[in-house]
Amino acid sequence: MNILLMEDDPVLSDILLDFLREEWRVDYAYDSREVYKHLENTHYDLFIFDINVMGQNGIELLKELREFSNNTPTIF
């Protein structure tokens, strides 16, 4: 399973990455720009997005992805 995590808190992201990487392949993005970079090269089975990120927040990002028919399950 490929997971993409978008989280701007470095401490929380480290904790989540350590836990998730025990079982799955996880890429990390600090903000929505990095999410788009990852999406150019990789298909993901799950998104885990922070709602309150600088710039485009997780909800806005997901709305935009849905407009482009990306129906990847997402957890906030």
Side-chain angles (χ1 to χ4, degrees), residues 1-59:
M1 175 183 283
N2 286 334
I3 299 172
L4 179 57
L5 169 68
M6 180 182 69
E7 172 60 59
D8 62 346
D9 181 315
V11 174
L12 181 55
S13 63
D14 284 345
I15 292 168
L16 290 169
L17 289 170
D18 286 345
F19 176 75
L20 294 169
R21 285 180 173 160
E22 289 181 10
E23 297 290 328
W24 302 287
R25 184 185 173 288
V26 183
D27 288 330
Y28 168 70
Y30 180 81
D31 59 19
S32 61
R33 288 185 310 250
E34 290 186 28
V35 168
Y36 287 115
K37 289 178 187 175
H38 284 290
L39 290 175
E40 290 175 6
N41 303 314
T42 307
H43 168 78
Y44 293 97
D45 303 301
L46 176 67
F47 296 141
I48 302 175
F49 289 164
D50 185 358
I51 293 177
N52 298 316
V53 241
M54 297 285 284
Q56 187 179 32
N57 69 44
I59 293 173

Side-chain angles (χ1 to χ4, degrees), residues 53-71:
V53 241
M54 297 285 284
Q56 187 179 32
N57 69 44
I59 293 173
E60 294 167 346
L61 173 60
L62 184 61
K63 284 180 184 178
E64 191 168 288
L65 292 173
R66 294 293 191 248
E67 289 175 7
F68 290 98
S69 300
N70 185 322
N71 294 318

